[in-house]
Coordinates of all heavy atoms in Angstrom, one line a residue:
F1 N 94.7 111.1 130.3 CA 93.2 111.3 130.6 C 92.6 112.2 129.6 O 91.6 111.9 128.9 CB 93.0 111.9 132.0 CG 91.6 112.0 132.4 CD1 90.9 110.9 133.0 CD2 90.9 113.1 132.3 CE1 89.6 110.9 133.3 CE2 89.6 113.2 132.7 CZ 88.9 112.1 133.2
N2 N 93.2 113.4 129.4 CA 92.7 114.4 128.4 C 93.8 115.4 128.1 O 94.9 115.3 128.7 CB 91.4 115.1 128.8 CG 91.5 115.9 130.0 OD1 92.6 116.3 130.4 ND2 90.4 116.1 130.7
R3 N 93.5 116.4 127.3 CA 94.6 117.3 126.9 C 95.0 118.3 128.0 O 95.9 119.1 127.9 CB 94.2 118.0 125.6 CG 94.3 117.1 124.4 CD 93.7 117.8 123.1 NE 94.0 116.9 122.0 CZ 93.4 115.8 121.7 NH1 92.4 115.4 122.4 NH2 93.7 115.1 120.6
K4 N 94.2 118.3 129.1 CA 94.6 119.1 130.2 C 95.5 118.4 131.2 O 96.1 119.0 132.1 CB 93.3 119.5 131.0 CG 92.3 120.4 130.3 CD 91.1 120.7 131.1 CE 90.1 121.5 130.4 NZ 88.9 121.8 131.2
D5 N 95.6 117.1 131.0 CA 96.4 116.2 131.9 C 97.9 116.3 131.7 O 98.3 115.9 130.6 CB 95.8 114.8 131.8 CG 96.4 113.8 132.8 OD1 97.1 114.3 133.7 OD2 96.2 112.6 132.6
D6 N 98.6 116.7 132.6 CA 100.1 116.8 132.5 C 100.9 116.0 133.5 O 102.1 116.1 133.6 CB 100.6 118.3 132.5 CG 100.4 118.9 133.9 OD1 99.7 118.3 134.7 OD2 100.9 120.0 134.1
V7 N 100.2 115.1 134.2 CA 100.9 114.4 135.3 C 101.9 113.4 134.7 O 102.9 113.1 135.3 CB 99.8 113.6 136.2 CG1 99.2 112.5 135.5 CG2 100.5 113.2 137.5
Q8 N 101.6 112.9 133.5 CA 102.6 112.0 132.8 C 103.9 112.7 132.6 O 105.0 112.2 132.8 CB 102.0 111.5 131.5 CG 100.8 110.6 131.6 CD 99.5 111.3 131.9 OE1 99.4 112.5 131.7 NE2 98.5 110.6 132.4
A9 N 103.8 114.0 132.0 CA 105.0 114.8 131.8 C 105.7 115.1 133.1 O 107.0 115.1 133.1 CB 104.6 116.0 131.0
Q10 N 105.0 115.3 134.1 CA 105.6 115.6 135.4 C 106.4 114.4 135.9 O 107.5 114.5 136.4 CB 104.5 116.0 136.5 CG 103.9 117.3 136.3 CD 102.9 117.6 137.4 OE1 103.2 117.4 138.6 NE2 101.7 118.0 137.0
W11 N 105.7 113.2 135.7 CA 106.4 112.0 136.2 C 107.7 111.7 135.4 O 108.7 111.3 136.0 CB 105.4 110.8 136.1 CG 106.0 109.5 136.6 CD1 105.9 109.1 137.9 CD2 106.8 108.6 135.9 NE1 106.6 107.9 138.1 CE2 107.1 107.5 136.8 CE3 107.2 108.4 134.6 CZ2 107.9 106.4 136.5 CZ3 108.0 107.3 134.2 CH2 108.3 106.4 135.2
V12 N 107.6 111.9 134.1 CA 108.8 111.6 133.2 C 109.9 112.6 133.6 O 111.1 112.2 133.7 CB 108.4 111.8 131.7 CG1 109.7 111.9 130.9 CG2 107.5 110.6 131.3
G13 N 109.5 113.9 133.9 CA 110.5 114.8 134.3 C 111.2 114.4 135.6 O 112.4 114.6 135.7
Q14 N 110.4 113.9 136.5 CA 111.0 113.5 137.8 C 111.8 112.2 137.7 O 112.9 112.1 138.3 CB 109.9 113.4 138.8 CG 110.4 113.1 140.3 CD 109.3 113.2 141.3 OE1 108.5 114.1 141.2 NE2 109.2 112.3 142.2
A15 N 111.3 111.2 136.9 CA 111.9 109.9 136.8 C 113.2 110.0 135.9 O 114.2 109.3 136.2 CB 110.9 108.9 136.3
L16 N 113.1 110.7 134.8 CA 114.1 110.7 133.8 C 114.9 112.0 133.7 O 115.9 112.0 132.9 CB 113.6 110.2 132.5 CG 112.8 108.9 132.4 CD1 112.3 108.6 131.0 CD2 113.6 107.8 133.0
G17 N 114.4 113.0 134.3 CA 115.1 114.3 134.1 C 114.9 114.9 132.8 O 115.7 115.8 132.4
V18 N 113.8 114.6 132.1 CA 113.5 115.1 130.8 C 112.5 116.2 130.9 O 111.4 116.0 131.3 CB 113.0 114.0 129.8 CG1 112.7 114.6 128.4 CG2 114.0 112.9 129.7
N19 N 112.9 117.4 130.5 CA 112.0 118.5 130.6 C 111.1 118.6 129.4 O 111.6 118.5 128.3 CB 112.7 119.8 130.8 CG 113.5 119.9 132.2 OD1 113.0 119.4 133.2 ND2 114.7 120.5 132.2
E20 N 109.8 118.9 129.6 CA 108.9 119.1 128.5 C 109.0 117.9 127.5 O 109.2 118.1 126.3 CB 109.0 120.4 127.8 CG 108.8 121.6 128.7 CD 108.9 122.9 128.0 OE1 109.2 122.9 126.8 OE2 108.8 124.0 128.7
P21 N 108.8 116.7 127.9 CA 109.0 115.5 127.0 C 107.8 115.5 126.0 O 106.7 115.9 126.3 CB 108.9 114.3 128.0 CG 108.1 114.8 129.1 CD 108.4 116.3 129.3
R22 N 108.2 115.1 124.8 CA 107.2 114.9 123.7 C 106.8 113.4 123.8 O 107.5 112.5 123.3 CB 107.8 115.3 122.4 CG 108.2 116.7 122.3 CD 108.7 117.1 120.9 NE 107.7 116.9 119.9 CZ 108.0 117.2 118.6 NH1 109.2 117.5 118.2 NH2 107.0 117.0 117.7
L23 N 105.6 113.1 124.3 CA 105.2 111.8 124.6 C 104.2 111.3 123.5 O 103.4 112.1 122.9 CB 104.5 111.7 125.9 CG 105.3 112.1 127.1 CD1 104.4 112.0 128.4 CD2 106.6 111.3 127.3
L24 N 104.3 110.0 123.2 CA 103.2 109.4 122.4 C 102.0 109.2 123.3 O 102.1 108.5 124.3 CB 103.7 108.0 121.8 CG 104.9 108.1 120.9 CD1 105.4 106.7 120.5 CD2 104.6 108.9 119.6
Q25 N 100.9 109.8 122.9 CA 99.8 109.8 123.8 C 98.5 109.2 123.3 O 98.2 109.3 122.1 CB 99.4 111.3 124.2 CG 100.6 112.0 124.9 CD 100.3 113.4 125.2 OE1 99.7 114.1 124.4 NE2 100.8 113.9 126.3
R26 N 97.8 108.4 124.1 CA 96.5 107.8 123.8 C 95.6 108.3 124.9 O 95.8 108.1 126.0 CB 96.6 106.3 123.7 CG 97.5 105.8 122.6 CD 97.7 104.3 122.6 NE 98.4 103.9 121.4 CZ 98.9 102.7 121.2 NH1 98.8 101.8 122.1 NH2 99.5 102.4 120.1
Y27 N 94.5 109.0 124.4 CA 93.6 109.6 125.4 C 92.4 108.7 125.8 O 91.7 108.2 124.9 CB 93.1 110.9 124.8 CG 94.1 112.0 124.5 CD1 94.7 112.1 123.3 CD2 94.6 112.8 125.6 CE1 95.7 113.0 123.0 CE2 95.6 113.7 125.3 CZ 96.1 113.8 124.1 OH 97.1 114.7 123.8
V28 N 92.2 108.6 127.1 CA 91.1 107.9 127.6 C 90.5 108.7 128.8 O 91.0 108.7 129.9 CB 91.5 106.5 128.1 CG1 90.3 105.7 128.7 CG2 92.2 105.7 127.0
P29 N 89.4 109.5 128.5 CA 88.9 110.4 129.5 C 87.9 109.8 130.5 O 86.8 110.3 130.7 CB 88.2 111.5 128.6 CG 87.7 110.7 127.5 CD 88.7 109.6 127.2
S30 N 88.3 108.8 131.2 CA 87.5 108.2 132.3 C 88.5 107.5 133.2 O 89.3 106.7 132.7 CB 86.5 107.1 131.7 OG 86.1 106.2 132.7

């Protein structure tokens, strides 16, 4: 959603056990 949004990292941490993942991100703020 934007640079404040961290729910993707939370989901990856829970699903894959990867802490502080470095994700390829595309921002869509709506």
